[in-house]
Amino acid sequence: MNKNIKIHESWLKYIEAEFDKKYMRNVKKSILNSKESGKIIYPKNNEIFNAINLTEFEKTKVIILGQDPYHGPGQAHGLSFSVKNGIKPPPSLLNIFKEIEFDLSIKVNKENGNLTRWAKQGVLLLNSLLTVEKGNPLSHKDIGWETLTDKIIEVLSQNKKNLVFILWGSHARSKKSLISKNENLIIESAHPSPLSAHRGFIGSKPFSRTNEYLLKNNINPINWS
C-alpha cells in the first residue's frame, strides 16, 4: 500500500489488499494526471479517506451512502453530506437537518454542517466516489473508486450484523444488492436534495427508525443533534 495513504488499522485486514490492485493504481494515476493538467481536486489528499479513518470498522453501526464529494471550494473533507467548519451547509444537508428536527422533535444547529460528530459515534459517511474536480460533479465517476467503496460495503455486510444502511436516492439504492438484508436494516427513500426531497425524503423518519433498531439490538443509539 502507498505509504502516503493513511487508513485506520481496523480496516486494513479487510481492504489493504485492494490498494495493490490495478484499479487502484488507475485511480491514483487519474488523480495525478488531473492535477498535472492544472485541475483542482477535492478533498485534500489527507482527507480522502476520512470516512474510514474517523469511523473504525468495529465501531461502525450506521452507513449513510453519498455519491461524490462536494465540488465547491472548502466544502469536501471526506465525509458524505458533511462540510468543514465555517462552511455554509448545502441545501441537501439543510434538508437532512430539517428532517432530524421533524423526526426527533429536537433542535439542530443548522450553521454547523461538520458531521464529524456523527462519524465518531459510528456513522460511516461514505461516498461512492472519493474525489472530484472543482466545479465538475461526478468527474471521477469512471476512474475506479466504486470498486473500492463497493468492497467496503460488502466487507461490512459480510463481517458485521445489525447495521443500518441509509440509502437516499437512486444511486445509493442501487447498492442494495451488496447488503445482506436478513441481518441488517436498510432504510431507503428519495434523496434530500431540494429537487427530490418532497418525493419521499421529508417525513421518512430515518433517524428515529435507526435508533429504534439499534436499541432493539442492544446497541447505543446515535445522538443526531
Side-chain angles (χ1 to χ4, degrees), residues 41 68 129 131-143:
I41 305 300
D68 73 335
L129 314 174
T131 53
V132 69
E133 288 173 16
K134 177 183 177 180
N136 191 3
L138 299 178
S139 44
H140 285 180
K141 184 173 179 295
D142 297 314
I143 69 171

Side-chain angles (χ1 to χ4, degrees), residues 167 171-181 186 188:
L167 312 179
H171 179 80
R173 293 164 94 167
S174 73
K175 305 295 180 182
K176 271 199 300 189
S177 60
L178 304 172
I179 302 163
S180 165
K181 296 166 194 62
I186 296 174
E188 52 182 313

Side-chain angles (χ1 to χ4, degrees), residues 64-70 75-84 89-94 96-97 113-115 118 125-127 166-169 172 190-193 201:
I64 299 181
L65 287 180
Q67 190 158 6
D68 73 335
Y70 295 121
Q75 290 179 308
H77 64 130
L79 304 178
S80 62
F81 296 101
S82 178
V83 288
K84 291 183 179 183
S92 293
L93 184 52
L94 285 176
I96 290 169
F97 288 161
N114 188 333
L115 304 181
W118 295 0
L125 297 161
L126 183 69
N127 280 316
I166 298 178
L167 312 179
W168 291 325
H191 195 277
S193 153
F201 172 76

Side-chain angles (χ1 to χ4, degrees), residues 11-220:
W11 289 91
L12 288 181
K13 80 176 201 188
Y14 300 103
I15 62 167
E16 186 173 26
E18 300 300 303
F19 288 88
D20 294 321
K21 292 183 179 175
K22 186 181 176 189
Y23 81 87
M24 279 305 293
R25 291 199 294 274
N26 287 343
V27 167
K28 185 181 172 188
K29 195 163 135 195
S30 296
I31 292 170
L32 285 173
N33 288 345
S34 293
K35 287 181 174 177
E36 281 167 8
S37 66
K39 296 188 171 86
I40 293 170
I41 305 300
Y42 299 132
K44 290 192 281 195
N45 277 0
N46 64 347
E47 296 173 328
I48 290 173
F49 296 102
N50 255 357
I52 52 177
N53 276 321
L54 289 170
T55 309
E56 296 167 34
F57 183 87
E58 285 79 15
K59 292 183 180 171
T60 300
K61 15 179 157 170
V62 181
I63 299 91
I64 299 181
L65 287 180
Q67 190 158 6
D68 73 335
Y70 295 121
H71 52 88
Q75 290 179 308
H77 64 130
L79 304 178
S80 62
F81 296 101
S82 178
V83 288
K84 291 183 179 183
N85 291 332
I87 299 289
K88 187 179 171 209
S92 293
L93 184 52
L94 285 176
N95 280 335
I96 290 169
F97 288 161
K98 285 175 193 165
E99 179 61 19
I100 291 171
E101 291 191 331
F102 169 78
D103 183 6
L104 302 175
S105 302
I106 58 174
K107 285 302 286 177
V108 175
N109 176 6
K110 297 193 191 70
E111 302 295 307
N112 180 6
N114 188 333
L115 304 181
T116 298
R117 59 192 185 273
W118 295 0
K120 289 183 171 173
Q121 293 179 72
V123 181
L124 182 69
L125 297 161
L126 183 69
N127 280 316
S128 287
L129 314 174
L130 299 186
T131 53
V132 69
E133 288 173 16
K134 177 183 177 180
N136 191 3
L138 299 178
S139 44
H140 285 180
K141 184 173 179 295
D142 297 314
I143 69 171
W145 276 130
E146 289 195 72
T147 307
L148 178 69
T149 54
D150 283 359
K151 176 74 176 176
I152 290 170
I153 297 166
E154 281 180 335
V155 298
L156 281 164
S157 180
Q158 288 162 5
N159 294 282
K160 289 177 72 77
K161 58 182 185 179
N162 301 328
L163 294 168
V164 181
F165 288 86
I166 298 178
L167 312 179
W168 291 325
S170 56
H171 179 80
R173 293 164 94 167
S174 73
K175 305 295 180 182
K176 271 199 300 189
S177 60
L178 304 172
I179 302 163
S180 165
K181 296 166 194 62
N182 300 333
E183 312 228 289
N184 305 293
L185 175 65
I186 296 174
I187 296 175
E188 52 182 313
S189 75
H191 195 277
S193 153
L195 299 172
S196 58
H198 61 283
R199 296 205 294 266
F201 172 76
I202 302 297
S204 61
K205 300 192 170 186
F207 307 102
S208 60
R209 289 162 66 194
T210 294
N211 280 353
E212 281 163 16
Y213 179 82
L214 294 175
L215 285 166
K216 192 176 86 181
N217 289 287
N218 301 312
I219 300 165
N220 283 338

